[in-house]
């Protein structure tokens, strides 16, 4: 009896089509995820910036004179804010010697899992005058004192 | 034993081949359409990223600019398609100043650097102790470690400055190490790009965003009262408009016509240290 031989291309064709469709789907998914991440990163940077600027604005309102760091290089935390996102903003005051101080604000946008998605730091050089009647120190901006920190 | 003949007839073979052909054509059509759509989306994503990056870089370059009567404006030249400006690389505080040598505090609480100062490429802005103005000094040689008068760590910065040029500069003076850079729209045939050039080096302009459409970067400069500013020292804010398109020429994959979809981004940047 002659052996039966049922050769065909259906299985091969189906496999090829499935692989091609799978690759297209996978690429589409990857691209969609990449676009989504890039968009979220852009929004996160804006939120981090907002948090840093909010903290800096709060710090510029002033602080008790007794809190002012006395030694050059010493620093204190002045303001802490959380803005929708959520993004956290922190502002610190650092003594740079004499009447020169640096207000440094940082903003970080966290993911739901607590991982940092974006961060930014700003610095404002300020001068301190005499405290007001409530012993609050109000900083004045040093000329050319604003800059982005790396 | 069966006597039924085995095999397929010519008609069956033709039907099978026809069905296979129809299925192959349909599948190929779907795959080709999907591939083209994916390519379009990929190009659009690249264009959006390019716009965001260009906007961020231009904003960062403009935001920290300032000016005063002694050292002039940090914005050196302005044009509708670009500008030149001082870009800060290091910020610090002096612990001493003597003819030919500035010494900055090395502690990281005072010294914040993107990179080390480079002679011939960088200059230094130092503020007078009375805060009336900043002055510019050329960096003469590479920085090196030294000690401040109080014994703490310092960074020696040899500069071109005699005692007269250092009047008012001393301990406590904030400094900025900067280099001059140019950001502008430029042509690299056949496309237009936004590029950065380090003016004190022999380096050619380097692209960092694009391709842009014709007039894909336009800047309009404003005074603090919102009227047009025609001189760098008057600029308090800059309105930017960027327009890029999807990159098709030289792309990978199927070549399909000359489709290139534009998109734009508008920014308004207030200088952090306005006049």
């Amino acid at each position: 009896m002659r052996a039966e031989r049922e050769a065909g291309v259906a299985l091969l064709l189906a496999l090829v089509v499935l692989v091609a469709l799978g690759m297209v789907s996978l690429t589409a998914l990857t691209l969609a995820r990449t676009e989504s991440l890039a968009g979220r990163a852009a929004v996160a940077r804006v939120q981090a910036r907002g948090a840093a600027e909010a903290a800096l604005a709060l710090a510029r309102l002033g602080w008790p004179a007794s809190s002012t760091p006395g030694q050059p290089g010493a620093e204190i935390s002045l303001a802490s804010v959380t803005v929708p996102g959520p993004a956290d903003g922190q502002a610190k005051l650092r003594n740079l010697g004499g009447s020169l101080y640096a207000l440094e604000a940082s903003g970080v946008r966290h993911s739901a899992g607590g991982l940092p998605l974006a961060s930014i730091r700003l610095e404002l050089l300020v001068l301190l005058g005499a405290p007001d009647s409530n012993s609050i120190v109000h900083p004045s901006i040093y000329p050319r004192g604003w800059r982005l920190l790396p | 034993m069966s006597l039924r003949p085995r095999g397929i007839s010519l008609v069956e073979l033709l039907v099978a081949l026809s069905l296979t052909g129809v299925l192959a054509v349909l599948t190929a059509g779907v795959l080709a359409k999907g591939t083209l759509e994916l390519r379009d989306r990929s190009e659009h994503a690249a264009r959006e990223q390019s716009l965001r990056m260009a906007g961020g870089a231009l904003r960062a370059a403009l935001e920290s600019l300032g000016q005063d009567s002694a050292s002039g404006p940090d914005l050196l030249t302005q044009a509708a398609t670009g500008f030149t400006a001082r870009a800060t690389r290091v910020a610090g505080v002096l612990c001493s100043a003597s003819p030919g040598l500035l010494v900055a505090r090395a502690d990281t609480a005072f010294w914040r650097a993107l990179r080390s100062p480079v002679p011939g490429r960088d200059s230094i802005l130092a503020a007078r102790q009375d805060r009336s103005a900043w002055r510019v000094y050329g960096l003469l040689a590479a920085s090196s470690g030294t000690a401040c008068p109080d014994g703490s760590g310092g960074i020696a910065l040899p500069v071109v400055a005699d005692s007269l040029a250092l009047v008012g500069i001393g301990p406590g003076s904030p400094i900025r190490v900067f280099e001059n850079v140019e950001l502008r729209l430029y042509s690299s045939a056949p496309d237009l790009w936004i590029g950065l050039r380090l003016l004190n080096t022999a380096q050619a302009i380097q692209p960092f965003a694009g391709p842009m459409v014709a007039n894909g970067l336009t800047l309009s400069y404003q005074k603090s009262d919102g009227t047009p500013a025609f001189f760098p020292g008057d600029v308090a804010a800059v309105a930017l408009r960027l327009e890029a398109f999807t990159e098709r020429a030289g792309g990978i994959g199927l070549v399909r016509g000359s489709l290139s979809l534009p998109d734009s981004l508008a920014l308004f940047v207030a200088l952090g240290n306005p006049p």
Side-chain angles (χ1 to χ4, degrees):
Chain A
M1 187 180 113
R2 192 176 57 177
E4 289 183 18
R5 184 168 178 270
E6 293 185 357
V9 295
L11 179 61
L12 185 65
L13 189 65
L15 285 174
V16 168
V17 170
L18 273 177
V19 168
L21 285 173
M23 286 176 67
V24 169
S25 304
L26 195 64
T27 310
L29 282 173
T30 306
L31 191 58
R33 180 172 163 75
T34 304
E35 280 189 82
S36 170
L37 287 174
R40 280 165 58 192
V43 174
R45 280 194 293 275
V46 172
Q47 290 170 323
R49 170 87 182 227
E53 289 185 345
L56 186 63
L58 270 179
R60 287 179 62 185
L61 294 175
W63 56 86
S66 57
S67 303
T68 304
Q71 296 299 314
E75 64 181 29
I76 59 160
S77 183
L78 278 185
S80 180
V81 296
T82 298
V83 299
D88 296 323
Q90 305 277 341
K92 295 185 292 188
L93 175 71
R94 191 168 60 253
N95 187 332
L96 296 181
S99 58
L100 182 64
Y101 288 76
L103 277 175
E104 185 178 315
S106 60
V108 183
R109 165 70 162 92
H110 296 286
S111 68
L115 296 172
L117 294 176
S119 62
I120 192 170
R121 292 194 304 156
L122 314 170
E123 184 190 73
L124 184 64
L125 296 183
V126 295
L127 297 163
L128 305 190
D132 65 13
S133 57
N134 295 317
S135 294
I136 300 296
V137 177
H138 301 281
S140 59
I141 300 173
Y142 195 94
R144 252 185 196 157
W146 190 98
R147 75 182 190 106
L148 278 172
L149 287 172
Chain B
M1 190 173 112
S2 172
L3 296 175
R4 185 170 168 241
R6 296 190 180 280
I8 54 173
S9 70
L10 178 62
V11 173
E12 288 172 325
L13 179 65
L14 288 175
V15 169
L17 283 174
S18 301
L19 286 174
T20 305
V22 169
L23 278 174
V25 167
L26 289 175
T27 308
V30 170
L31 285 175
K33 189 179 174 190
T35 304
L36 292 174
E37 283 183 2
L38 279 177
R39 177 178 166 168
D40 282 350
R41 289 189 62 186
S42 174
E43 289 170 349
H44 294 179
R47 179 195 58 199
E48 303 304 317
Q49 180 64 14
S50 181
L51 280 172
R52 277 196 288 262
M53 189 169 62
L58 289 164
R59 178 176 174 158
L62 287 165
E63 269 185 329
S64 297
L65 303 183
Q67 60 99 39
D68 64 58
S69 58
S71 62
D74 292 332
L75 182 64
L76 303 171
T77 63
Q78 61 182 84
T81 58
F83 60 89
T84 59
R86 295 168 177 156
T88 300
R89 302 306 184 211
V90 180
V93 179
L94 293 183
C95 60
S96 77
S98 56
L101 187 68
L102 301 178
V103 180
R105 294 194 180 279
D107 190 286
T108 53
F110 302 92
W111 182 261
R112 299 294 179 94
L114 277 173
R115 58 165 174 75
S116 298
V118 180
R121 177 171 156 185
D122 293 337
S123 299
I124 297 173
L125 271 168
R128 290 173 60 104
Q129 289 164 309
D130 62 6
R131 302 177 291 279
S132 61
W134 294 63
R135 299 200 62 164
V136 179
Y137 305 98
L139 185 63
L140 199 58
S143 58
S144 57
T146 186
C148 286
D150 61 8
S152 61
I155 295 171
L157 300 162
V159 293
V160 186
D162 57 20
S163 56
L164 189 62
L166 289 172
V167 169
I169 307 295
S173 290
I175 61 167
R176 306 271 198 250
V177 178
F178 69 90
E179 67 178 323
N180 295 338
V181 299
E182 177 185 38
L183 289 104
R184 67 175 166 89
L185 187 70
Y186 76 102
S187 173
S188 177
D191 296 317
L192 290 166
W193 300 83
I194 297 179
L196 169 73
R197 190 162 71 96
L198 308 176
L199 293 179
N200 295 331
T201 69
Q203 187 186 62
I205 191 164
Q206 300 293 316
F208 67 85
M212 313 298 289
V213 304
N215 298 318
L217 171 63
T218 54
L219 302 103
S220 58
Y221 304 86
Q222 299 182 7
K223 295 181 182 176
S224 52
D225 61 5
T227 58
F230 300 106
F231 303 102
D234 295 335
V235 176
V238 182
L240 302 103
R241 188 171 191 282
L242 299 117
E243 191 170 7
F245 59 77
T246 52
E247 186 175 12
R248 178 58 50 93
I252 298 168
L254 297 173
V255 176
R256 182 165 58 96
S258 59
L259 179 67
S260 55
L261 297 173
D263 198 1
S264 61
L265 175 68
L267 292 171
F268 187 83
V269 182
L271 270 57
N273 304 295

